[in-house]
C-alpha cells in the first residue's frame, strides 16, 4: 500500500511539487529567520563569548546589557580581589571613541582595554600578530572584517586603504599602530572593536572620573560559584554574573525593549501561514481529486486505517522533502556568507524547532484530508 | 499466487461452496436513504438468487435501485431489512473489518469509469487487490502480468492508463477484478463508456475468461446490446425486480444477435 500511496502522490506532479514547495518555503523562512534571530541575539553578548578564562563578570547593579557600560570605581578590582574564593580579578575598560579614517572621514569605535599584565578578555582568534604584541608602544589589534569594511577608506588619490599590521590609525587624536588582526564573533552593533591595553585605553578614551567598565574574575577551584557571586555582591555592592547569565540578561533586554522578536516572529508566523495555506490547500485538493480512487480502494478491500496510513505516508514524504530542501537552502545561504557580516551559525536547535513547526504544519495540512478519508464511502465509486 | 489470509474460519468464502449452489441469495431486501428530511426507498423487498457459474444482469431505468442492489450484494451498503447471503455469508453478522476483508477476498469490481489509478502502470493497477490483501509487491506484479496476458494485453504491462484506449482500460479493470480469484465479480455499467464493438469485446472477455463454474458475475447495465451475454436478466423498476428473463438474447436486436 505504501507503493500505491507514493505513486499516487508523485503521479500528480503539479500538486506534489506544489505541496513540497509550500513546505520548503515554510522551512526556508522559519529556519532562515530563526537562525538570523538567534545569531543576532547571540551577537548582543559576543564581547564576553571569548572570555574563556574568566568565570565571573562583575558589573554595576544597574547595568542591563553588555553595551550598557556603567563605570565602576577604580577600587572595584581590589574589593573583588579581597573576597575570599576569588582566585584573580582584572579590570576591563570599554569606551566609545572616534577614529579618524584616511580621506578625512571618521568612525565611532569601541575600544576595549585589557589588563596590562594578563591581557585577559582579548580576542578569541588571532589571524596576524599575537596578543602580546599589545605590549609594544601605541599598539592596537583590530578585527579583519572591521578593517575591511568599517575602518577602510579612500585616500585622497582615490586608492582604497585597508588598515593592516604596521599601519597607523588615529584614535581620539592619538596615533596608534596596528600590531595584529583578529577574528572575533560579530558584535550586535556595527561599530569596530579595537583592542589595546587598559592603560592605553584610558589614555585614548575621553577623560572620565571612572574608567573601568567591568571586572573579570575567576573563582578558586574549591569555591562554589553561586555562593561566591553572593559574597561579591555583599562585599562590593556590585552584581556578579556568570558569562551565561550576563549573556541571557543582555538577550532578555533586547527581547523586552526592541522590536526584533516581533519582526522576526511575524516573518516566522508568515512562514507558517504560507506553509499551511499552500501545502494544506494543495494537499486537500489532492485528497479531493483522489477521493474516487480511495473509494475504489475501499471497495476493493482496503480498510480505513490503510487509507489513513497512505495519506499520512504521503504527508510525511512531502514534509520530509520540503523540510530537507528548505533547510538545505538555508544552509547554502549561510555557507555562502561565511566570513561576512551575514555569517550565522545554523544550530541544531534551530533545525529541531523548524522540524517541529513543519510537523505541526503538515499535521494541520493533513487533518482536513484525513477527515475526508475517514468519511469516504466505497459506494461513491458507483456514482456516475 | 501466494495464498490470501482467510478472514476467519467461519467466514472463509473459499473453504466450501454454497450448500445450495447459490452465489447470492437475497430475500425481501429493503434499503432506504434519507435525503432532505424525506426517506427514499431504493429497494422495496428484493428477492434475488444468482447461481454459481451464472452471469446475471440487472437492468432497468435510472434510479430503479440497480446500483443500490449490487452495493448491498457486494457489502458496500448495509441493507435495512431482509436476508442477503453471499456464498452463505451474511454481511450483517460481520464487523466492519471482517466485511472489508471479505469484500477484498471474495468480490471483484469492474467500474463504469474503470477507476484505474492514473499513476500506476497497467500491471501495477491489476496488482492493487493483491497489495491490499498483503501480497508482496513483486509477487503481486508477477501475477498481474500473467493476468494481463489472459486479457490480451501482455505487451501493455508498463503502459499508464492514459496511454490505453477505453476498451483496453476496461480490460485492465477486468483483469484487476479477477486477479485475486474472487468468487463474485460485480460490474457497474462496464460497457457504457465504450463503443459498440469494444463493448462486445469486453463482454466476451467477461463471459469467457472471468466466468467459471465456481464464480458468479452480476452486471448492472442499461446497454440492451449486451443482454444476450447474460444467463438471466433481472428487470428492475422502482426498487423491485419486476421480471426475470431466462432467454435474454430475445431482448437484443437482430443485428446484435448476429454480431
Amino acid at each position: 500500500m505504501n507503493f500505491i500511496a507514493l505513486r499516487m502522490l508523485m503521479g500528480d506532479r503539479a500538486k506534489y511539487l506544489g505541496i513540497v514547495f509550500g513546505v520548503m518555503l515554510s522551512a526556508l523562512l522559519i529556519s532562515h529567520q530563526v537562525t538570523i534571530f538567534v545569531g543576532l541575539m547571540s551577537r548582543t553578548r559576543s564581547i564576553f563569548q571569548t572570555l574563556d578564562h574568566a568565570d565571573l563578570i562583575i558589573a554595576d547593579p544597574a547595568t542591563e546589557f553588555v553595551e550598557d557600560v556603567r563605570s565602576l570605581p577604580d577600587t572595584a578590582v581590589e574589593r573583588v580581589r579581597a573576597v575570599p574564593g576569588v582566585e584573580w580579578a582584572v579590570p576591563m575598560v570599554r569606551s566609545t571613541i572616534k577614529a579618524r579614517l584616511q580621506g578625512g572621514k571618521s568612525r565611532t569605535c569601541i575600544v576595549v582595554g585589557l589588563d596590562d599584565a594578563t591581557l585577559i578578555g582579548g580576542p578569541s582568534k588571532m589571524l596576524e600578530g599575537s596578543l602580546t604584541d599589545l605590549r609594544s608602544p601605541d599598539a592596537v589589534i583590530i578585527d579583519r572584517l572591521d578593517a575591511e569594511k568599517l575602518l577602510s577608506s579612500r585616500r585622497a588619490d582615490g586608492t582604497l586603504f585597508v588598515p593592516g599590521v604596521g599601519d597607523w590609525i588615529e584614535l581620539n587624536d592619538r596615533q596608534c599602530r596596528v600590531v595584529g588582526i583578529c577574528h572575533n564573533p560579530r558584535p550586535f552593533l556595527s561599530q569596530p572593536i579595537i583592542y589595546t591595553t587598559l592603560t592605553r585605553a584610558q589614555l585614548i578614551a575621553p577623560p572620565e572620573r571612572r574608567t573601568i567598565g567591568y571586572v573579570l574574575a575567576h573563582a578558586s577551584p574549591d569555591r562554589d560559584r553561586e555562593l561566591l557571586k553572593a559574597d561579591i555582591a555583599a562585599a562590593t555592592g556590585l552584581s556578579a554574573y556568570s558569562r551565561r547569565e550576563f549573556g541571557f540578561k543582555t538577550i532578555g533586554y533586547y527581547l523586552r525593549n526592541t522590536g526584533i522578536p516581533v519582526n522576526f516572529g511575524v516573518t516566522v508566523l508568515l512562514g507558517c501561514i504560507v506553509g499551511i495555506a499552500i501545502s494544506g490547500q494543495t494537499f486537500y485538493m489532492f485528497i479531493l481529486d483522489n477521493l474516487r480512487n480511495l473509494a475504489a480502494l475501499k471497495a476493493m478491500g482496503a480498510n480505513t486505517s490503510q487509507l489513513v496510513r497512505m495519506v499520512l505516508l504521503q504527508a510525511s514524504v512531502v514534509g520530509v522533502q520540503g523540510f530537507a530542501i528548505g533547510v538545505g537552502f538555508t544552509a547554502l545561504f549561510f555557507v555562502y556568507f561565511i566570513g561576512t557580516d551575514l555569517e550565522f551559525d545554523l544550530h541544531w536547535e534551530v533545525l529541531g524547532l523548524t522540524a517541529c513547526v513543519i510537523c505541526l504544519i503538515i499535521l494541520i495540512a493533513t487533518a482536513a484530508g484525513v477527515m475526508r478519508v475517514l468519511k469516504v464511502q466505497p459506494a461513491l465509486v458507483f456514482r456516475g | 499466487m501466494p495464498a490470501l489470509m482467510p478472514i476467519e474460519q467461519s467466514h472463509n468464502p473459499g473453504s466450501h461452496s454454497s450448500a445450495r449452489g447459490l452465489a447470492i441469495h437475497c430475500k425481501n431486501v429493503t434499503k432506504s436513504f434519507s435525503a432532505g428530511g424525506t426517506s427514499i426507498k431504493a429497494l422495496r423487498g428484493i428477492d434475488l438468487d444468482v447461481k454459481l457459474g451464472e452471469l446475471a444482469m440487472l437492468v432497468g431505468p435510472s434510479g430503479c435501485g440497480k446500483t443500490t442492489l449490487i452495493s448491498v450484494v457486494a457489502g458496500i451498503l448495509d441493507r435495512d431489512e431482509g436476508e442477503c447471503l453471499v456464498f452463505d455469508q451474511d454481511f450483517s453478522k460481520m464487523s466492519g473489518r471482517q466485511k472489508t476483508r471479505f469484500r477484498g477476498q471474495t468480490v471483484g469490481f469492474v467500474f463504469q469509469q474503470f477507476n484505474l489509478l492514473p499513476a500506476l502502470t497497467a500491471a501495477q493497477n491489476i496488482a492493487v487487490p493483491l497489495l491490499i490483501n498483503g501480497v508482496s509487491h513483486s509477487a503481486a506484479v508477477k501475477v498481474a502480468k500473467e493476468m494481463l496476458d489472459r486479457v490480451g494485453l501482455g505487451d501493455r504491462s508498463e503502459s499508464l492508463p492514459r496511454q490505453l484506449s477505453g476498451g483496453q482500460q476496461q480490460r485492465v479493470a477486468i483483469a484487476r477484478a479477477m486477479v485475486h480469484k474472487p468468487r463474485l465479480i460485480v460490474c457497474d455499467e462496464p460497457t457504457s463508456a465504450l463503443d459498440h464493438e469494444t463493448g462486445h469485446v469486453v463482454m466476451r472477455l467477461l463471459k469467457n475468461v472471468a466466468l467459471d463454474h465456481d464464480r458468479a458475475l452480476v452486471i448492472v447495465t442499461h446497454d440492451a446490446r449486451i443482454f444476450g451475454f447474460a444467463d438471466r436478466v433481472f428487470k428492475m423498476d422502482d426498487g423491485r425486480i419486476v421480471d426475470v428473463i431466462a432467454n435474454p438474447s430475445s431482448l437484443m436486436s437482430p443485428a446484435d444477435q448476429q454480431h
Side-chain angles (χ1 to χ4, degrees):
Chain A
M1 295 303 280
N2 292 348
F3 170 79
I4 296 173
L6 295 178
R7 289 303 296 260
M8 276 173 75
L9 174 69
M10 293 170 192
D12 191 346
R13 200 159 295 178
K15 288 198 184 64
Y16 166 56
L17 294 178
I19 302 165
V20 172
F21 176 76
V23 178
M24 182 272 288
L25 203 57
S26 284
L28 175 62
L29 279 173
I30 294 166
S31 59
H32 185 267
Q33 291 298 299
V34 172
T35 297
I36 293 180
F37 173 71
V38 170
L40 283 179
M41 289 299 102
S42 182
R43 284 182 181 187
T44 62
R45 54 175 184 159
S46 65
I47 186 71
F48 289 126
Q49 280 181 297
T50 60
L51 299 179
D52 294 333
H53 305 295
D55 289 334
L56 301 173
I57 297 158
I58 293 101
D60 187 285
T63 299
E64 292 191 82
F65 58 105
V66 170
E67 310 297 340
D68 180 28
V69 181
R70 298 180 188 225
S71 300
L72 306 176
D74 292 342
T75 57
V77 180
E78 293 307 325
R79 290 166 67 193
V80 171
R81 282 174 182 160
V83 176
V86 173
E87 195 167 81
W88 53 255
V90 294
M92 186 186 212
V93 164
R94 188 174 167 84
S95 298
T96 304
I97 55 155
K98 284 266 186 194
R100 183 182 292 276
L101 309 180
Q102 298 269 333
K105 290 183 181 173
S106 63
R107 171 85 63 190
T108 303
C109 304
I110 293 169
V111 65
V112 176
L114 310 176
D115 177 53
D116 292 42
T118 62
L119 297 176
I120 283 174
S124 57
K125 186 177 177 186
M126 292 298 298
L127 301 177
E128 291 180 60
S130 76
L131 192 58
T132 52
D133 292 339
L134 278 183
R135 295 199 176 103
S136 56
D138 304 319
V140 293
I141 292 173
I142 57 176
D143 182 83
R144 179 181 63 83
L145 275 177
D146 288 345
E148 289 172 358
K149 298 189 75 173
L150 300 173
L151 295 172
S152 63
S153 55
R154 294 276 167 196
R155 294 189 182 94
D157 61 2
T159 56
L160 184 67
F161 170 72
V162 178
V165 172
D167 290 325
W168 292 81
I169 55 177
E170 188 180 314
L171 304 175
N172 259 7
D173 296 330
R174 288 186 68 91
Q175 291 294 322
C176 295
R177 190 166 56 90
V178 177
V179 296
I181 302 290
C182 66
H183 175 72
N184 258 347
R186 301 305 299 153
F188 181 71
L189 302 176
S190 58
Q191 291 169 333
I193 293 178
I194 296 169
Y195 290 95
T196 187
T197 59
L198 186 107
T199 309
R200 197 170 302 118
Q202 287 169 329
L203 289 172
I204 295 170
E208 286 183 78
R209 191 168 63 86
R210 295 173 166 187
T211 54
I212 296 174
Y214 298 103
V215 176
L216 310 178
H218 191 268
S220 305
D222 55 346
R223 186 74 172 128
D224 180 87
R225 278 158 186 69
E226 291 303 313
L227 291 176
L228 182 59
K229 284 192 310 192
D231 288 350
I232 291 173
T236 65
L238 303 174
S239 294
Y241 306 95
S242 67
R243 278 189 294 153
R244 183 182 167 80
E245 283 172 340
F246 200 51
F248 278 106
K249 184 179 175 69
T250 298
I251 289 172
Y253 174 83
Y254 279 98
L255 291 179
R256 286 192 305 275
N257 296 291
T258 69
I260 293 172
V262 173
N263 287 334
F264 281 92
V266 165
T267 311
V268 169
L269 187 66
L270 282 176
C272 296
I273 291 171
V274 164
I276 292 170
I278 297 180
S279 308
Q281 191 183 25
T282 314
F283 196 75
Y284 187 64
M285 282 171 60
F286 169 76
I287 295 292
L288 285 189
D289 285 353
N290 279 289
L291 269 187
R292 210 178 170 84
N293 291 329
L294 294 171
L297 289 175
K298 209 166 184 177
M300 287 189 280
N303 56 46
T304 305
S305 66
Q306 279 177 310
L307 298 184
V308 170
R309 281 203 302 272
M310 284 173 66
V311 172
L312 292 180
L313 174 68
Q314 291 165 337
S316 304
V317 167
V318 292
V320 168
Q321 289 179 332
F323 169 77
I325 298 170
V327 298
F329 277 129
T330 299
L332 281 179
F333 177 89
F334 291 117
V335 165
Y336 182 77
F337 286 106
I338 281 177
T340 72
D341 264 343
L342 279 173
E343 179 179 345
F344 290 103
D345 291 336
L346 184 54
H347 297 284
W348 69 265
E349 290 93 337
V350 174
L351 295 181
L353 173 76
T354 308
C356 290
V357 176
I358 293 298
C359 280
L360 192 64
I361 289 171
I362 288 292
L363 277 178
I364 294 170
T366 313
V370 168
M371 293 303 288
R372 288 305 298 254
V373 171
L374 288 175
K375 290 179 187 167
V376 72
Q377 293 295 327
L380 172 69
V381 83
F382 285 133
R383 289 179 201 145
Chain B
M1 187 184 84
L4 302 179
M5 291 288 291
I7 51 167
E8 263 183 21
Q9 206 57 43
S10 61
H11 287 140
N12 183 356
S15 60
H16 57 85
S17 295
S18 165
R20 290 170 285 187
L22 290 179
I24 299 166
H25 170 68
C26 292
K27 186 79 179 166
N28 200 27
V29 170
T30 64
K31 177 71 183 173
S32 301
F33 297 103
S34 57
T38 55
S39 178
I40 299 167
K41 288 198 168 181
L43 301 179
R44 299 165 184 260
I46 293 284
D47 293 335
L48 172 71
D49 284 340
V50 178
K51 294 175 223 159
L52 282 167
E54 183 175 25
L55 192 160
M57 281 189 190
L58 301 177
V59 304
S62 291
C64 72
K66 305 184 296 289
T67 300
T68 304
L69 180 55
I70 60 162
S71 297
V72 169
V73 164
I76 285 175
L77 289 177
D78 294 328
R79 66 182 186 274
D80 293 338
E81 291 169 359
E83 182 186 41
C84 188
L85 303 178
V86 178
F87 299 105
D88 292 334
Q89 305 297 318
D90 189 347
F91 282 121
S92 68
K93 291 179 180 165
M94 296 182 195
S95 67
R97 189 169 279 269
Q98 284 176 326
K99 208 185 298 180
T100 302
R101 196 187 294 177
F102 182 88
R103 204 165 57 227
Q105 296 184 357
T106 312
V107 187
F109 292 91
V110 178
F111 305 110
Q112 183 178 358
Q113 299 298 328
F114 322 133
N115 284 93
L116 300 176
L117 296 173
L120 302 187
T121 65
Q124 289 163 347
N125 262 294
I126 294 168
V128 166
L130 297 174
L131 296 173
I132 289 173
N133 282 299
V135 178
S136 73
H137 180 261
S138 56
V141 170
K142 185 167 177 267
V143 176
K145 285 182 176 172
E146 291 167 13
M147 195 55 69
L148 209 47
D149 277 335
R150 288 186 63 191
V151 297
L153 291 173
D155 57 338
R156 306 304 301 268
S157 65
E158 297 305 315
S159 299
L160 294 170
R162 66 169 182 272
Q163 296 165 325
L164 300 172
S165 67
Q168 288 172 325
Q169 288 188 54
Q170 196 60 298
R171 282 151 72 183
V172 171
I174 290 168
R176 180 179 64 181
M178 297 190 301
V179 72
H180 54 307
K181 297 185 168 55
R183 299 187 63 208
L184 172 66
I185 295 178
V186 294
C187 311
D188 182 38
E189 305 276 7
T191 59
S192 68
L194 306 175
D195 61 50
H196 184 265
E197 179 67 29
T198 312
H200 274 256
V201 170
V202 165
M203 283 311 301
R204 276 198 292 275
L205 194 65
L206 282 170
K207 180 98 179 174
N208 300 332
V209 179
L211 193 62
D212 68 28
H213 70 282
D214 201 30
R215 180 184 284 159
L217 260 72
V218 179
I219 297 175
V220 165
T221 186
H222 276 102
D223 190 351
R225 299 169 304 183
I226 63 168
F227 288 171
F229 289 95
D231 296 313
R232 282 191 295 167
V233 170
F234 296 82
K235 289 183 81 171
M236 291 185 68
D237 195 13
D238 198 22
R240 294 185 180 88
I241 292 176
V242 293
D243 195 8
V244 181
I245 300 159
N247 180 22
S249 57
S250 61
L251 298 173
M252 296 172 73
S253 67
D256 282 324
Q257 286 185 37
Q258 197 172 26
H259 193 88

